[in-house]
Amino acid sequence: MSTTVTERPSRTTLFDGLGRYIPIGVTVALLIVMYLGGIAAFPRFSSPQVIASLFIDNAALLIIAVGMTFVILSGGIDLSVGSMMAFSTMSIAALTVDLGVPAEVAVAAVLAFGTLSGLFTGAVIHYFNVQPFIATLAGLFLYRGLTLQLSDHDVSMRDIAFFDWGMLRMDFAGGQRDGGFSLPNISFIALAVVIVAFIVLHYTRFGRGVYAVGGSESSALLMGLPVARTKVGVYAVSGFCAALGGVVAAYYTKSANPLAGVGLELDAIAAVVIGGTILTGGTGFVLGTVAGVMVMGLLTTLIAFQGDLSSWWARIVVGVLLLAFILLQRFLSRSGEKRRT
Amino acid sequence: MSDAPIVQMTGITKDFTGVRALDGVDFTLRRGEIHAVMGENGAGKSTLIKVLTGVHDPDAGRILLDGEPVRFHSPGQAQAGGISTVYQEVNLTDNLSVAENLLAGREPRLGPFINFRAMRRKAKALLDEIGIDLNVAAPLSSYSIAMQQLVAIARAIDIDAKVLILDEPTSSLDRDEVAVLMRVMRSLAERGTAMVFISHFLDQVYEICDRMTVLRNGTLIGEWAVSELPESELIGHMLGREVQTLGALEHRAARHRPDDDVLVSARGLGRKGSVSPFDLDIRPGEVVGLAGLLGSGRTETARLIAGADRADSGALEFRGERLRGHNPRTASARGIGFCPENRKTEGLVGDLTVAENMILAMQAARGWARTVPPARRDALVAEFIEKLDIRPADPDLPVKNLSGGNQQKVLLARWMLIEPRLLILDEPTRGIDVGAKADIQRLVNELSEDGMAVLFISAELEEVTRLSDRIAVLRDRELIDILHQESDMTTDRIVETIVEKGGDK
């Protein structure tokens, strides 16, 4: 070859490359500021259990938000997850308490149902070219209605020994008494989900396909990537995560509340966005979602420590944060465009 | 080069919502040849290619690949069958790295996991093979469109393609990059890959192709060896009419009355990072050309005058009045029409009909409360469809079903409807065929004779010199000279200006 065309990436590539990490960097910085602020204001805040508690109280949210990250990265949205979670918990209660089905079987059935339901929603979205917003909105109503149909009041699962396992704690650094912390099994489930999701998104063809479809669906199609499988797949992942969230909720409260998780889909979306994933798809990280969930959990914790403020302040702050993050993303993507032209 | 056909398409017919895009077309591709598919926009080239690559299902006809009947239902299937395609628009995902784009879908793996190191190595090797040196770990978005196009080609080659389809791959490449591409094409042909090449640049076709198939209005005109078909005959076949249009548009006479009445006057107008401050006057009835290389600031200059970008220095006067808060809305109200370069994303609404797209600007000018009366609307639309020779002449067809050249004409009609005082055309003839090009050039001429000022941007210097009264030459985002003498209106003079003035600094 006589001539070689060499092109350096445009001068700002370094910045471009880092640009992807700015939103998540801001989230992490925010977390640190909140944490240090909490320690400065409240003496007991420095206990490691404060952080550990985030992964206990928000275990279900974290799992669901991870599923949501897949969907949003692919350029879609899933509004049915809150209802799906409540339906899963209620189904487990109905199956085990009312019908006497072994708990293991009930859990497996619920997880399978969540996945299949996601597959079905994904297929509707892809093959009939339906807006994800509408298709999953149908799920939001459908599963909430079914949940209330099963029972319109709380169902306790206290008598079923199987559900004791979830809150069994493991001590670290001597446990809470000795200045360490402890985590129950549900937190490990949530963390396992995060790790698996991270590996799938970054190191498998399916995961990279999710990014490609989110970047440009028509390009991905012309590149010969399995767009259909990817798009249907992300909703299956989200459905599975929502059902697993329901299982974790069953472990956490040992009861099924028909109105559990109302609006949870919006919390999950908020966590994903605060975690730096862009709503139009293609850019973001699952670890950002973890940070997003931690920010939201830490806000609630701070307000609980303060004691005087109404808990709704957490919502107000989340609203402000969301706005700030969306503007930040907009600003970053626009300055990116400008530099390129 | 053997004569064994690798692809044989017979009697291919395809209809789109009432429009027959292909009507019983035959096409034969032989091993190791480079075969051009020629035709005007709307002739059916793209549709033929899309049928072959599985994007469209044909309504009738047979496709034989290596003698076996095949029918692909998706580009993925076609790729698996050994047919890969490089499109005019870069169809890659620019949020991923270069390496990922090259190898997406067939990444080297360790078990179920992608082996990123092996992937980068393989990507590097692939690019080396065609003589490109890039940082494969960088996101694709950090490279120029031209380089992205070469990446797309590298990707297509790697799929061990028996057949490689290049659909206008050169329209965004500069000369060196075209040379790289042609070299790659030749070496592939020697290896026995059959290639379909589609381009509006006739010189490229004559340089590289062995054979050509000519289509017109969805029907097959014929197949020739390139050496047997001189250019003038080819154009005749493509247009189906005697080629006078282009000839008649020899350089317009220097008929220009020195008009002191200035329509638009820019003084020190500029925007940081996009174009340095410049002075430019445009008079009624004058065509001002903007010439320069890709990235010299042509589009940016036009966008400032059109109000699409905000200037951060200088002033813009319109009929002696200084403009403040200049934006596309106020510009349009004053009679400045702007046809942007990217007609798909910035100009037309694909799902609306031809008529609706045409009427948009006029409706905006009247305000939402005063709709254009249907009878008047239909009359106007019919008039412009005829005047601009928009094909198919159906006002109720969604604009996205039209070919590029006809879409461009719809966009032009939109602005002509509101009879602007200044019409800014950014690359109106890019990627469209000779016939539509001639139509648009003729129109620009007519408009200016009626007293409209036109700011005309084109990458084809010949077109600029042929149409313009004065030419503003840009280089490195700076307006370096304005050529106004009759004798200066040559491509050589423009190139000289770019080279000389660049050397000054």
Side-chain angles (χ1 to χ4, degrees), chain A residues 1 3 5 7 9-10 199 202-203 205 208 211-212 223 282 340, chain B residues 93 95 100 107 113-114 116 131-133 141-142 144 155 180 183:
Chain A
M1 295 290 154
T3 53
V5 181
E7 189 172 306
S10 47
I199 292 171
H202 290 278
Y203 294 100
R205 284 188 186 172
R208 301 320 288 171
Y211 279 91
M223 285 162 83
R340 232 168 290 142
Chain B
T93 56
N95 56 332
E100 282 187 280
E107 299 93 340
F113 304 117
I114 295 172
F116 278 95
I132 308 176
D133 176 24
S141 59
S142 58
S144 63
R155 175 185 166 84
V180 171
R183 203 188 63 218

PDB file of all heavy atoms in Angstrom, chain A residues 1 3 5 7 9-10 199 202-203 205 208 211-212 223 282 340, chain B residues 93 95 100 107 113-114 116 131-133 141-142 144 155 180 183:
ATOM      1  N   MET A   1       0.840  -1.186   0.000  1.00  0.00           N
ATOM      2  CA  MET A   1       0.000   0.000   0.000  1.00  0.00           C
ATOM      3  C   MET A   1       0.876   1.237   0.000  1.00  0.00           C
ATOM      4  O   MET A   1       1.694   1.435   0.895  1.00  0.00           O
ATOM      5  CB  MET A   1      -0.886   0.003   1.254  1.00  0.00           C
ATOM      6  CG  MET A   1      -1.885  -1.139   1.282  1.00  0.00           C
ATOM      7  SD  MET A   1      -3.159  -0.912   0.047  1.00  0.00           S
ATOM      8  CE  MET A   1      -3.642  -2.599  -0.241  1.00  0.00           C
ATOM      9  N   THR A   3       0.022   4.742  -0.186  1.00  0.00           N
ATOM     10  CA  THR A   3      -0.330   5.831   0.724  1.00  0.00           C
ATOM     11  C   THR A   3      -1.162   5.301   1.877  1.00  0.00           C
ATOM     12  O   THR A   3      -1.935   4.377   1.727  1.00  0.00           O
ATOM     13  CB  THR A   3      -1.173   6.892   0.004  1.00  0.00           C
ATOM     14  OG1 THR A   3      -2.273   6.237  -0.616  1.00  0.00           O
ATOM     15  CG2 THR A   3      -0.366   7.642  -1.011  1.00  0.00           C
ATOM     16  N   VAL A   5      -3.767   6.740   4.783  1.00  0.00           N
ATOM     17  CA  VAL A   5      -4.489   7.886   5.298  1.00  0.00           C
ATOM     18  C   VAL A   5      -4.520   7.769   6.806  1.00  0.00           C
ATOM     19  O   VAL A   5      -4.962   6.773   7.349  1.00  0.00           O
ATOM     20  CB  VAL A   5      -5.928   7.914   4.763  1.00  0.00           C
ATOM     21  CG1 VAL A   5      -6.650   9.127   5.304  1.00  0.00           C
ATOM     22  CG2 VAL A   5      -5.919   7.914   3.263  1.00  0.00           C
ATOM     23  N   GLU A   7      -5.706   9.583  10.320  1.00  0.00           N
ATOM     24  CA  GLU A   7      -6.438  10.693  10.918  1.00  0.00           C
ATOM     25  C   GLU A   7      -6.401  10.521  12.410  1.00  0.00           C
ATOM     26  O   GLU A   7      -6.689   9.463  12.936  1.00  0.00           O
ATOM     27  CB  GLU A   7      -7.879  10.748  10.408  1.00  0.00           C
ATOM     28  CG  GLU A   7      -8.572  12.030  10.855  1.00  0.00           C
ATOM     29  CD  GLU A   7      -9.937  12.223  10.207  1.00  0.00           C
ATOM     30  OE1 GLU A   7     -10.011  12.173   8.967  1.00  0.00           O
ATOM     31  OE2 GLU A   7     -10.909  12.417  10.940  1.00  0.00           O
ATOM     32  N   PRO A   9      -8.000  11.397  15.936  1.00  0.00           N
ATOM     33  CA  PRO A   9      -9.342  11.815  16.336  1.00  0.00           C
ATOM     34  C   PRO A   9      -9.337  13.324  16.503  1.00  0.00           C
ATOM     35  O   PRO A   9      -8.286  13.894  16.799  1.00  0.00           O
ATOM     36  CB  PRO A   9      -9.539  11.135  17.692  1.00  0.00           C
ATOM     37  CG  PRO A   9      -8.494  10.088  17.782  1.00  0.00           C
ATOM     38  CD  PRO A   9      -7.387  10.476  16.881  1.00  0.00           C
ATOM     39  N   SER A  10     -10.487  13.976  16.290  1.00  0.00           N
ATOM     40  CA  SER A  10     -10.504  15.426  16.406  1.00  0.00           C
ATOM     41  C   SER A  10      -9.895  15.807  17.743  1.00  0.00           C
ATOM     42  O   SER A  10      -9.968  15.057  18.697  1.00  0.00           O
ATOM     43  CB  SER A  10     -11.926  15.950  16.281  1.00  0.00           C
ATOM     44  OG  SER A  10     -12.782  15.198  17.105  1.00  0.00           O
ATOM     45  N   ILE A 199     -21.570  -7.077  33.430  1.00  0.00           N
ATOM     46  CA  ILE A 199     -20.830  -7.956  32.523  1.00  0.00           C
ATOM     47  C   ILE A 199     -21.584  -8.124  31.214  1.00  0.00           C
ATOM     48  O   ILE A 199     -21.008  -8.056  30.126  1.00  0.00           O
ATOM     49  CB  ILE A 199     -20.574  -9.313  33.207  1.00  0.00           C
ATOM     50  CG1 ILE A 199     -19.600  -9.117  34.374  1.00  0.00           C
ATOM     51  CG2 ILE A 199     -20.008 -10.322  32.207  1.00  0.00           C
ATOM     52  CD1 ILE A 199     -19.433 -10.334  35.242  1.00  0.00           C
ATOM     53  N   HIS A 202     -21.370  -4.889  29.053  1.00  0.00           N
ATOM     54  CA  HIS A 202     -20.074  -4.462  28.527  1.00  0.00           C
ATOM     55  C   HIS A 202     -19.309  -5.549  27.802  1.00  0.00           C
ATOM     56  O   HIS A 202     -18.469  -5.261  26.977  1.00  0.00           O
ATOM     57  CB  HIS A 202     -19.218  -3.883  29.656  1.00  0.00           C
ATOM     58  CG  HIS A 202     -19.742  -2.572  30.142  1.00  0.00           C
ATOM     59  ND1 HIS A 202     -19.475  -1.388  29.500  1.00  0.00           N
ATOM     60  CD2 HIS A 202     -20.577  -2.262  31.157  1.00  0.00           C
ATOM     61  CE1 HIS A 202     -20.107  -0.401  30.116  1.00  0.00           C
ATOM     62  NE2 HIS A 202     -20.781  -0.910  31.125  1.00  0.00           N
ATOM     63  N   TYR A 203     -19.600  -6.784  28.105  1.00  0.00           N
ATOM     64  CA  TYR A 203     -18.747  -7.828  27.549  1.00  0.00           C
ATOM     65  C   TYR A 203     -19.468  -8.879  26.720  1.00  0.00           C
ATOM     66  O   TYR A 203     -18.882  -9.896  26.397  1.00  0.00           O
ATOM     67  CB  TYR A 203     -17.961  -8.514  28.685  1.00  0.00           C
ATOM     68  CG  TYR A 203     -16.985  -7.574  29.331  1.00  0.00           C
ATOM     69  CD1 TYR A 203     -17.279  -6.949  30.537  1.00  0.00           C
ATOM     70  CD2 TYR A 203     -15.772  -7.270  28.699  1.00  0.00           C
ATOM     71  CE1 TYR A 203     -16.392  -6.055  31.110  1.00  0.00           C
ATOM     72  CE2 TYR A 203     -14.881  -6.386  29.271  1.00  0.00           C
ATOM     73  CZ  TYR A 203     -15.189  -5.781  30.475  1.00  0.00           C
ATOM     74  OH  TYR A 203     -14.312  -4.901  31.021  1.00  0.00           O
ATOM     75  N   ARG A 205     -22.172  -9.771  23.274  1.00  0.00           N
ATOM     76  CA  ARG A 205     -22.724  -9.218  22.044  1.00  0.00           C
ATOM     77  C   ARG A 205     -24.099  -8.619  22.285  1.00  0.00           C
ATOM     78  O   ARG A 205     -24.449  -7.591  21.724  1.00  0.00           O
ATOM     79  CB  ARG A 205     -22.834 -10.312  20.984  1.00  0.00           C
ATOM     80  CG  ARG A 205     -21.500 -10.629  20.405  1.00  0.00           C
ATOM     81  CD  ARG A 205     -21.625 -11.555  19.224  1.00  0.00           C
ATOM     82  NE  ARG A 205     -20.287 -11.937  18.808  1.00  0.00           N
ATOM     83  CZ  ARG A 205     -20.046 -12.852  17.894  1.00  0.00           C
ATOM     84  NH1 ARG A 205     -21.041 -13.493  17.323  1.00  0.00           N
ATOM     85  NH2 ARG A 205     -18.816 -13.127  17.552  1.00  0.00           N
ATOM     86  N   ARG A 208     -23.572  -5.148  23.858  1.00  0.00           N
ATOM     87  CA  ARG A 208     -23.092  -4.138  22.904  1.00  0.00           C
ATOM     88  C   ARG A 208     -24.184  -3.835  21.886  1.00  0.00           C
ATOM     89  O   ARG A 208     -24.289  -2.721  21.396  1.00  0.00           O
ATOM     90  CB  ARG A 208     -21.808  -4.587  22.208  1.00  0.00           C
ATOM     91  CG  ARG A 208     -20.631  -4.885  23.130  1.00  0.00           C
ATOM     92  CD  ARG A 208     -20.485  -3.931  24.276  1.00  0.00           C
ATOM     93  NE  ARG A 208     -20.027  -2.611  23.887  1.00  0.00           N
ATOM     94  CZ  ARG A 208     -19.993  -1.568  24.702  1.00  0.00           C
ATOM     95  NH1 ARG A 208     -20.399  -1.678  25.946  1.00  0.00           N
ATOM     96  NH2 ARG A 208     -19.574  -0.412  24.276  1.00  0.00           N
ATOM     97  N   TYR A 211     -26.409  -1.146  23.144  1.00  0.00           N
ATOM     98  CA  TYR A 211     -25.851   0.191  22.894  1.00  0.00           C
ATOM     99  C   TYR A 211     -26.008   0.582  21.431  1.00  0.00           C
ATOM    100  O   TYR A 211     -26.326   1.719  21.109  1.00  0.00           O
ATOM    101  CB  TYR A 211     -24.361   0.227  23.269  1.00  0.00           C
ATOM    102  CG  TYR A 211     -24.106   0.398  24.749  1.00  0.00           C
ATOM    103  CD1 TYR A 211     -23.969  -0.694  25.585  1.00  0.00           C
ATOM    104  CD2 TYR A 211     -24.012   1.664  25.301  1.00  0.00           C
ATOM    105  CE1 TYR A 211     -23.731  -0.532  26.948  1.00  0.00           C
ATOM    106  CE2 TYR A 211     -23.771   1.845  26.657  1.00  0.00           C
ATOM    107  CZ  TYR A 211     -23.634   0.744  27.475  1.00  0.00           C
ATOM    108  OH  TYR A 211     -23.410   0.915  28.807  1.00  0.00           O
ATOM    109  N   ALA A 212     -25.752  -0.362  20.530  1.00  0.00           N
ATOM    110  CA  ALA A 212     -25.826  -0.053  19.102  1.00  0.00           C
ATOM    111  C   ALA A 212     -27.246   0.319  18.699  1.00  0.00           C
ATOM    112  O   ALA A 212     -27.467   1.301  17.992  1.00  0.00           O
ATOM    113  CB  ALA A 212     -25.338  -1.244  18.275  1.00  0.00           C
ATOM    114  N   MET A 223     -26.468  -2.738   9.637  1.00  0.00           N
ATOM    115  CA  MET A 223     -25.198  -3.403   9.929  1.00  0.00           C
ATOM    116  C   MET A 223     -25.409  -4.905  10.100  1.00  0.00           C
ATOM    117  O   MET A 223     -24.468  -5.646  10.318  1.00  0.00           O
ATOM    118  CB  MET A 223     -24.576  -2.837  11.215  1.00  0.00           C
ATOM    119  CG  MET A 223     -23.956  -1.467  11.049  1.00  0.00           C
ATOM    120  SD  MET A 223     -23.713  -0.656  12.642  1.00  0.00           S
ATOM    121  CE  MET A 223     -22.160  -1.399  13.154  1.00  0.00           C
ATOM    122  N   GLY A 282     -28.319   4.714  24.061  1.00  0.00           N
ATOM    123  CA  GLY A 282     -26.982   4.622  23.500  1.00  0.00           C
ATOM    124  C   GLY A 282     -25.842   5.028  24.405  1.00  0.00           C
ATOM    125  O   GLY A 282     -24.710   4.647  24.169  1.00  0.00           O
ATOM    126  N   ARG A 340     -17.857  19.174  16.716  1.00  0.00           N
ATOM    127  CA  ARG A 340     -17.634  18.319  15.557  1.00  0.00           C
ATOM    128  C   ARG A 340     -17.848  19.052  14.242  1.00  0.00           C
ATOM    129  O   ARG A 340     -17.232  18.739  13.257  1.00  0.00           O
ATOM    130  CB  ARG A 340     -18.565  17.108  15.636  1.00  0.00           C
ATOM    131  CG  ARG A 340     -17.823  15.810  15.487  1.00  0.00           C
ATOM    132  CD  ARG A 340     -18.721  14.653  15.853  1.00  0.00           C
ATOM    133  NE  ARG A 340     -18.994  14.622  17.278  1.00  0.00           N
ATOM    134  CZ  ARG A 340     -20.176  14.296  17.793  1.00  0.00           C
ATOM    135  NH1 ARG A 340     -21.183  14.038  17.003  1.00  0.00           N
ATOM    136  NH2 ARG A 340     -20.343  14.246  19.075  1.00  0.00           N
TER     137      ARG A 340
ATOM    138  N   THR B  93     -23.018   3.219  14.236  1.00  0.00           N
ATOM    139  CA  THR B  93     -23.505   3.884  15.433  1.00  0.00           C
ATOM    140  C   THR B  93     -22.345   4.632  16.056  1.00  0.00           C
ATOM    141  O   THR B  93     -21.367   4.012  16.474  1.00  0.00           O
ATOM    142  CB  THR B  93     -24.069   2.856  16.433  1.00  0.00           C
ATOM    143  OG1 THR B  93     -23.059   1.901  16.706  1.00  0.00           O
ATOM    144  CG2 THR B  93     -25.266   2.155  15.860  1.00  0.00           C
ATOM    145  N   ASN B  95     -21.954   6.202  18.739  1.00  0.00           N
ATOM    146  CA  ASN B  95     -21.699   6.197  20.183  1.00  0.00           C
ATOM    147  C   ASN B  95     -20.745   5.070  20.583  1.00  0.00           C
ATOM    148  O   ASN B  95     -20.275   5.029  21.700  1.00  0.00           O
ATOM    149  CB  ASN B  95     -23.020   6.073  20.970  1.00  0.00           C
ATOM    150  CG  ASN B  95     -23.824   4.852  20.565  1.00  0.00           C
ATOM    151  OD1 ASN B  95     -23.729   4.396  19.437  1.00  0.00           O
ATOM    152  ND2 ASN B  95     -24.581   4.307  21.489  1.00  0.00           N
ATOM    153  N   GLU B 100     -15.550  -1.400  17.602  1.00  0.00           N
ATOM    154  CA  GLU B 100     -16.856  -2.044  17.777  1.00  0.00           C
ATOM    155  C   GLU B 100     -17.702  -1.913  16.528  1.00  0.00           C
ATOM    156  O   GLU B 100     -18.411  -2.834  16.144  1.00  0.00           O
ATOM    157  CB  GLU B 100     -17.582  -1.425  18.973  1.00  0.00           C
ATOM    158  CG  GLU B 100     -17.058  -1.941  20.288  1.00  0.00           C
ATOM    159  CD  GLU B 100     -17.895  -1.437  21.443  1.00  0.00           C
ATOM    160  OE1 GLU B 100     -17.698  -0.280  21.850  1.00  0.00           O
ATOM    161  OE2 GLU B 100     -18.742  -2.179  21.929  1.00  0.00           O
ATOM    162  N   GLU B 107     -17.781 -10.007  16.911  1.00  0.00           N
ATOM    163  CA  GLU B 107     -16.631  -9.703  17.742  1.00  0.00           C
ATOM    164  C   GLU B 107     -15.918 -10.996  18.119  1.00  0.00           C
ATOM    165  O   GLU B 107     -16.570 -12.009  18.335  1.00  0.00           O
ATOM    166  CB  GLU B 107     -17.089  -9.009  19.034  1.00  0.00           C
ATOM    167  CG  GLU B 107     -17.816  -7.700  18.829  1.00  0.00           C
ATOM    168  CD  GLU B 107     -19.331  -7.881  18.771  1.00  0.00           C
ATOM    169  OE1 GLU B 107     -19.797  -9.012  18.513  1.00  0.00           O
ATOM    170  OE2 GLU B 107     -20.032  -6.885  18.987  1.00  0.00           O
ATOM    171  N   PHE B 113     -17.912 -14.034  26.259  1.00  0.00           N
ATOM    172  CA  PHE B 113     -17.519 -12.643  26.461  1.00  0.00           C
ATOM    173  C   PHE B 113     -16.674 -12.101  25.323  1.00  0.00           C
ATOM    174  O   PHE B 113     -15.819 -12.803  24.771  1.00  0.00           O
ATOM    175  CB  PHE B 113     -16.762 -12.485  27.778  1.00  0.00           C
ATOM    176  CG  PHE B 113     -17.544 -12.992  28.944  1.00  0.00           C
ATOM    177  CD1 PHE B 113     -17.079 -14.055  29.694  1.00  0.00           C
ATOM    178  CD2 PHE B 113     -18.773 -12.431  29.251  1.00  0.00           C
ATOM    179  CE1 PHE B 113     -17.829 -14.540  30.758  1.00  0.00           C
ATOM    180  CE2 PHE B 113     -19.522 -12.910  30.304  1.00  0.00           C
ATOM    181  CZ  PHE B 113     -19.054 -13.972  31.067  1.00  0.00           C
ATOM    182  N   ILE B 114     -16.886 -10.833  25.021  1.00  0.00           N
ATOM    183  CA  ILE B 114     -16.120 -10.195  23.955  1.00  0.00           C
ATOM    184  C   ILE B 114     -14.676  -9.997  24.417  1.00  0.00           C
ATOM    185  O   ILE B 114     -14.426  -9.534  25.528  1.00  0.00           O
ATOM    186  CB  ILE B 114     -16.746  -8.835  23.612  1.00  0.00           C
ATOM    187  CG1 ILE B 114     -18.133  -9.048  23.022  1.00  0.00           C
ATOM    188  CG2 ILE B 114     -15.863  -8.058  22.647  1.00  0.00           C
ATOM    189  CD1 ILE B 114     -18.909  -7.789  22.831  1.00  0.00           C
ATOM    190  N   PHE B 116     -11.931  -7.766  24.066  1.00  0.00           N
ATOM    191  CA  PHE B 116     -11.719  -6.429  23.524  1.00  0.00           C
ATOM    192  C   PHE B 116     -10.324  -6.257  22.941  1.00  0.00           C
ATOM    193  O   PHE B 116     -10.137  -5.565  21.949  1.00  0.00           O
ATOM    194  CB  PHE B 116     -11.980  -5.366  24.592  1.00  0.00           C
ATOM    195  CG  PHE B 116     -13.439  -5.058  24.736  1.00  0.00           C
ATOM    196  CD1 PHE B 116     -14.206  -5.680  25.698  1.00  0.00           C
ATOM    197  CD2 PHE B 116     -14.050  -4.161  23.878  1.00  0.00           C
ATOM    198  CE1 PHE B 116     -15.552  -5.419  25.816  1.00  0.00           C
ATOM    199  CE2 PHE B 116     -15.403  -3.884  23.989  1.00  0.00           C
ATOM    200  CZ  PHE B 116     -16.153  -4.507  24.948  1.00  0.00           C
ATOM    201  N   GLY B 131      -5.281   0.651   4.203  1.00  0.00           N
ATOM    202  CA  GLY B 131      -4.427   1.830   4.270  1.00  0.00           C
ATOM    203  C   GLY B 131      -4.993   2.981   5.079  1.00  0.00           C
ATOM    204  O   GLY B 131      -4.866   4.133   4.693  1.00  0.00           O
ATOM    205  N   ILE B 132      -5.618   2.665   6.178  1.00  0.00           N
ATOM    206  CA  ILE B 132      -6.090   3.730   7.066  1.00  0.00           C
ATOM    207  C   ILE B 132      -5.528   3.472   8.452  1.00  0.00           C
ATOM    208  O   ILE B 132      -5.442   2.333   8.887  1.00  0.00           O
ATOM    209  CB  ILE B 132      -7.630   3.742   7.173  1.00  0.00           C
ATOM    210  CG1 ILE B 132      -8.259   3.775   5.806  1.00  0.00           C
ATOM    211  CG2 ILE B 132      -8.092   4.952   7.958  1.00  0.00           C
ATOM    212  CD1 ILE B 132      -9.759   3.693   5.869  1.00  0.00           C
ATOM    213  N   ASP B 133      -5.156   4.545   9.097  1.00  0.00           N
ATOM    214  CA  ASP B 133      -4.565   4.421  10.414  1.00  0.00           C
ATOM    215  C   ASP B 133      -5.381   5.259  11.400  1.00  0.00           C
ATOM    216  O   ASP B 133      -5.334   6.476  11.362  1.00  0.00           O
ATOM    217  CB  ASP B 133      -3.110   4.909  10.347  1.00  0.00           C
ATOM    218  CG  ASP B 133      -2.464   4.906  11.712  1.00  0.00           C
ATOM    219  OD1 ASP B 133      -2.934   4.144  12.576  1.00  0.00           O
ATOM    220  OD2 ASP B 133      -1.501   5.663  11.914  1.00  0.00           O
ATOM    221  N   SER B 141     -17.648   8.829  16.740  1.00  0.00           N
ATOM    222  CA  SER B 141     -18.118  10.206  16.572  1.00  0.00           C
ATOM    223  C   SER B 141     -16.980  11.210  16.558  1.00  0.00           C
ATOM    224  O   SER B 141     -17.164  12.350  16.165  1.00  0.00           O
ATOM    225  CB  SER B 141     -19.100  10.555  17.690  1.00  0.00           C
ATOM    226  OG  SER B 141     -18.477  10.421  18.940  1.00  0.00           O
ATOM    227  N   SER B 142     -15.762  10.801  16.974  1.00  0.00           N
ATOM    228  CA  SER B 142     -14.674  11.771  16.993  1.00  0.00           C
ATOM    229  C   SER B 142     -13.994  11.882  15.636  1.00  0.00           C
ATOM    230  O   SER B 142     -13.064  12.653  15.477  1.00  0.00           O
ATOM    231  CB  SER B 142     -13.668  11.416  18.082  1.00  0.00           C
ATOM    232  OG  SER B 142     -13.173  10.113  17.866  1.00  0.00           O
ATOM    233  N   SER B 144     -14.169  12.393  11.257  1.00  0.00           N
ATOM    234  CA  SER B 144     -14.954  13.092  10.243  1.00  0.00           C
ATOM    235  C   SER B 144     -15.874  12.110   9.525  1.00  0.00           C
ATOM    236  O   SER B 144     -15.661  10.903   9.549  1.00  0.00           O
ATOM    237  CB  SER B 144     -14.016  13.735   9.230  1.00  0.00           C
ATOM    238  OG  SER B 144     -13.292  12.721   8.573  1.00  0.00           O
ATOM    239  N   ARG B 155     -15.704  -2.245   7.160  1.00  0.00           N
ATOM    240  CA  ARG B 155     -16.606  -3.214   7.782  1.00  0.00           C
ATOM    241  C   ARG B 155     -17.229  -4.124   6.729  1.00  0.00           C
ATOM    242  O   ARG B 155     -17.276  -5.338   6.879  1.00  0.00           O
ATOM    243  CB  ARG B 155     -17.720  -2.468   8.534  1.00  0.00           C
ATOM    244  CG  ARG B 155     -18.746  -3.427   9.091  1.00  0.00           C
ATOM    245  CD  ARG B 155     -19.928  -2.724   9.727  1.00  0.00           C
ATOM    246  NE  ARG B 155     -20.989  -3.703   9.935  1.00  0.00           N
ATOM    247  CZ  ARG B 155     -21.056  -4.504  10.987  1.00  0.00           C
ATOM    248  NH1 ARG B 155     -20.145  -4.417  11.924  1.00  0.00           N
ATOM    249  NH2 ARG B 155     -22.012  -5.397  11.095  1.00  0.00           N
ATOM    250  N   VAL B 180      -8.129   6.467  -2.195  1.00  0.00           N
ATOM    251  CA  VAL B 180      -7.965   5.317  -1.299  1.00  0.00           C
ATOM    252  C   VAL B 180      -9.049   4.291  -1.595  1.00  0.00           C
ATOM    253  O   VAL B 180      -8.791   3.098  -1.753  1.00  0.00           O
ATOM    254  CB  VAL B 180      -8.055   5.752   0.181  1.00  0.00           C
ATOM    255  CG1 VAL B 180      -8.107   4.546   1.092  1.00  0.00           C
ATOM    256  CG2 VAL B 180      -6.884   6.638   0.539  1.00  0.00           C
ATOM    257  N   ARG B 183      -8.512   2.432  -4.860  1.00  0.00           N
ATOM    258  CA  ARG B 183      -7.444   1.454  -4.746  1.00  0.00           C
ATOM    259  C   ARG B 183      -7.965   0.189  -4.067  1.00  0.00           C
ATOM    260  O   ARG B 183      -7.696  -0.931  -4.512  1.00  0.00           O
ATOM    261  CB  ARG B 183      -6.309   2.073  -3.918  1.00  0.00           C
ATOM    262  CG  ARG B 183      -4.967   1.445  -4.156  1.00  0.00           C
ATOM    263  CD  ARG B 183      -3.985   1.983  -3.158  1.00  0.00           C
ATOM    264  NE  ARG B 183      -4.380   1.616  -1.824  1.00  0.00           N
ATOM    265  CZ  ARG B 183      -4.246   2.415  -0.758  1.00  0.00           C
ATOM    266  NH1 ARG B 183      -3.761   3.617  -0.873  1.00  0.00           N
ATOM    267  NH2 ARG B 183      -4.620   1.994   0.422  1.00  0.00           N
TER     268      ARG B 183
END
